[in-house]
Amino acid sequence: MRHRICLRIVSTVLNTKMRSHTYIDSLGSARMMARALDGKALAKEIKDELKIKIHNWINAGHRAPSLRCIIVGQDPASHTYVKNKIAAATEIGIEAQTIKYDATLTEEALIAAIELLNNDKTVDGILVQLPLPNSIDERRVCNAVAPEKDVDGFHITNVGQLCLDMPTIVPATALAVIEMLKRFKIDTFGRNAVVVGRSKNVGLPIAMMLHSDKNHDSGLGMDATVTICHRHTPPAQLELHCRNADIIITATGVPKLIKADMIKPGATIIDVGITRITDEQGKTKLVGDVDYDEVVKVAGAVTPVPGGVGPMTVAMLMHNTFQAAQKIWQQ
Ligand code: BQF
């Protein structure tokens, strides 16, 4: 008994101080913890690669790639996201500016502003930070961005091309998930993948690439067997689908939706959820959809929140912006 208590103390010290990859279970046995997939470190690697490519691009006589971020209203989370994007862009040699409007801006005025940027030859990438105020039709606004400058990949043409496995601009969050699976060497070929959440900008493009044929033109297919679960999937069914999954991608914004008893031992869990919560001390913090502290004991690999998919989303937006800059030059 004393032996077990000692082990538990040692494991607690290791886990908190040294980030051990093992923990001691309730019977006193040492168990492996899942690999934490460090999105922040991978995002830095990708930004460093892009920084070199952009440097070479400019040295070859091109102007710096340029990005415009339009933000409407005062939502603090949206302002944080835009700041993250401008900082990342500036750091790697992309010329980036924020264009801020009051929440009272009309849909017509927003579309007029987008059209000015569409016609500006010194602008390569345009994004409109979502969500927009309820008075503005997001679909109409996304379709107003010139498809070749649509670095968010939300234009109807870019969505259609993605669905047809054609080369296109892919939404950054979906590209972030796919890039993490590739760079962390998570095998998807013929595996069972579950996507939890069916949003048009996140769940749909992820599910689309996961199930698609790698041999098709886009080269982004992952050849997995994909199940899409959503708010009308009964909880018992969600559990069954998840327990059968080799890979779970969750993007719901429901904290602790994905629990340890829903995980196949060794599975890979990618947490796209971001929810701001206030803890007991009144501090706000970010949490994902995954009950991380428990899931990490069963899964083979899991992305943390913060520091998982979020930073990778920003890195892949930079990838999209450089891609847009190169395509425009070829025309
Ligand atoms: C991190 C986003 C929901 C709705 C609209 C780093 C970001 C987030 C987290 C970030 C997100 C989420 C963005 C972390 C951009 C990702 O350290 O974990 C970066 O800036 N994101 C967005 O632009 O719009 C959203 C989530």
Side-chain angles (χ1 to χ4, degrees), residues 16-324:
T16 54
K17 296 260 163 67
M18 296 173 67
R19 294 179 170 272
S20 165
H21 299 291
T22 61
Y23 72 99
I24 307 302
D25 72 10
S26 56
L27 297 175
S29 305
R31 301 258 175 223
M32 285 298 287
M33 296 221 295
R35 178 158 70 121
L37 303 177
D38 187 342
K40 196 173 171 187
L42 184 56
K44 184 175 185 308
E45 243 178 82
I46 289 170
K47 285 185 287 180
D48 286 345
E49 292 169 16
L50 279 169
K51 188 174 182 170
I52 293 167
K53 288 183 189 169
I54 290 167
H55 181 85
N56 292 341
W57 174 254
I58 294 168
N59 274 354
H62 307 289
R63 65 162 168 72
S66 70
L67 174 67
R68 297 294 176 270
C69 301
I70 300 177
I71 181 161
V72 185
Q74 305 305 324
D75 176 50
S78 293
H79 278 266
T80 302
Y81 297 148
V82 168
K83 276 182 201 150
N84 290 346
K85 295 169 192 183
I86 300 288
T90 307
E91 189 189 311
I92 65 168
I94 294 172
E95 187 261 324
Q97 290 173 26
T98 310
I99 303 171
K100 294 178 187 168
Y101 293 106
D102 217 79
T104 55
L105 184 77
T106 65
E107 186 175 306
E108 301 312 319
L110 177 55
I111 290 173
I114 291 168
E115 280 166 358
L116 275 176
L117 297 172
N118 286 344
N119 296 324
D120 185 340
K121 288 192 164 53
T122 70
V123 173
D124 299 309
I126 304 164
L127 74 83
V128 182
Q129 184 64 40
L130 301 183
L132 287 167
N134 290 331
S135 56
I136 300 178
D137 179 350
E138 283 186 357
R139 187 33 49 212
R140 235 194 116 203
V141 169
C142 291
N143 290 345
V145 177
E148 69 278 9
K149 297 190 181 189
D150 169 35
V151 290
D152 265 342
F154 295 162
H155 189 283
I156 187 167
T157 300
N158 287 325
V159 177
Q161 287 175 166
L162 181 73
C163 294
L164 294 170
D165 302 346
M166 292 161 74
T168 190
I169 307 180
V170 178
T173 306
L175 207 51
V177 170
I178 300 303
E179 197 65 22
M180 290 177 92
L181 292 173
K182 283 184 184 162
R183 297 224 188 190
F184 290 124
K185 302 209 176 334
I186 310 296
D187 192 20
T188 57
F189 190 90
R191 298 298 170 102
N192 293 331
V194 165
V195 178
V196 190
R198 58 175 172 184
S199 69
K200 296 299 166 205
N201 297 341
V202 180
L204 179 130
I206 292 169
M208 199 55 74
M209 286 187 284
L210 276 173
H211 86 265
S212 293
D213 187 334
K214 176 136 192 80
N215 294 324
H216 286 181
D217 277 354
S218 76
L220 294 168
M222 303 294 278
D223 288 307
T225 303
V226 175
T227 303
I228 302 168
C229 298
H230 50 73
R231 68 178 76 251
H232 300 305
T233 305
Q237 288 299 312
L238 175 65
E239 273 186 50
L240 282 175
H241 289 300
C242 285
R243 227 174 274 152
N244 193 40
D246 302 299
I247 301 141
I248 299 172
I249 319 286
T250 181
T252 69
V254 180
K256 301 201 174 174
L257 178 67
I258 307 300
K259 298 208 150 58
D261 62 1
M262 299 163 72
I263 307 292
K264 180 199 271 195
T268 297
I269 320 298
I270 310 287
D271 192 350
V272 190
I274 295 186
T275 308
R276 277 181 166 65
I277 63 160
T278 313
D279 68 9
E280 301 83 35
Q281 285 88 43
K283 273 195 183 168
T284 62
K285 59 171 191 171
L286 293 184
V287 297
D289 294 350
V290 172
D291 186 359
Y292 188 93
D293 293 341
E294 294 304 314
V295 165
V296 79
K297 298 175 182 174
V298 185
V302 54
T303 65
V305 176
V309 177
M312 277 297 292
T313 298
V314 176
M316 298 320 287
L317 175 71
M318 300 303 122
H319 164 93
N320 283 351
T321 304
F322 184 45
Q323 185 182 293

